[in-house]
Amino acid sequence: MSNPVISYIAGGSNLGNRIENLRNGIVKTCELEGTTFKNVSSVYETKPFGPVEQPDFLNLVFEVETFLPPENLLEYLKEIELNCGRVSTVKWGARVLDLDILFFGDLIFESEKLTIPHKGILERDFFQIHLLELNNDKK
């Protein structure tokens, strides 16, 4: 990409040291070439989404500026999750770290692996709360 894009990434953790897992996710994401940290929301504790019984999550949203295309960013986010100890077991199950692209500039995109804006934005109030917090002063 020739111009950087602002992307909002949701982070969630409900296993292990949840705060440390979220911190690692932000740090590792911002270490990606061509990616710069811009802002982070407060951390909120939320009930799990979906039918699987599991511990509560800590969630946040962080904002980055990146030159990476969205598919590459997603690929790197999935690598970061794995390197931080994520093991996929069941859909919507407990996880050490979950990183999801919520928005990528004004892009509207859908593929087999990626949907932008994230299809869960309207179903998960905590995404909206985080995004409002980050954008409250950008009027």
Side-chain angles (χ1 to χ4, degrees), residues 35-126:
T35 302
T36 306
F37 175 81
K38 301 297 281 180
N39 204 355
V40 64
S41 73
S42 300
V43 176
Y44 296 95
E45 189 165 38
T46 63
K47 297 290 179 198
F49 185 83
V52 179
E53 190 172 319
Q54 58 188 299
D56 289 348
F57 275 87
L58 289 185
N59 295 100
L60 55 72
V61 171
F62 60 103
E63 178 183 2
V64 297
E65 184 177 74
T66 186
F67 285 92
L68 293 170
E71 299 94 339
N72 293 72
L73 179 58
L74 177 67
E75 184 177 314
Y76 288 126
L77 293 177
K78 296 306 152 196
E79 283 181 28
I80 291 167
E81 289 176 353
L82 290 173
N83 291 335
C84 287
R86 178 167 178 169
V87 177
S88 293
T89 52
V90 296
K91 184 174 182 170
W92 293 329
R95 39 208 178 274
V96 169
L97 183 62
D98 187 29
L99 297 171
D100 292 314
I101 301 170
L102 299 181
F103 287 103
F104 192 88
D106 59 2
L107 179 67
I108 297 172
F109 177 83
E110 187 166 353
S111 72
E112 189 175 305
K113 293 183 178 183
L114 179 62
T115 300
I116 299 174
H118 189 284
K119 48 185 150 179
I121 282 184
L122 297 178
E123 299 168 350
R124 297 176 179 105
D125 293 345
F126 56 87

Side-chain angles (χ1 to χ4, degrees), residues 5-11 22 25-27 29-30 35-43 60-66 102 129-138:
V5 173
I6 296 294
S7 182
Y8 292 93
I9 300 169
L22 292 171
I26 294 170
V27 168
T29 301
C30 295
T35 302
T36 306
F37 175 81
K38 301 297 281 180
N39 204 355
V40 64
S41 73
S42 300
V43 176
L60 55 72
V61 171
F62 60 103
E63 178 183 2
V64 297
E65 184 177 74
T66 186
L102 299 181
I129 292 167
H130 295 299
L131 290 165
L132 284 170
E133 179 185 337
L134 288 175
N135 289 285
N136 192 32
D137 60 348
K138 294 182 183 178

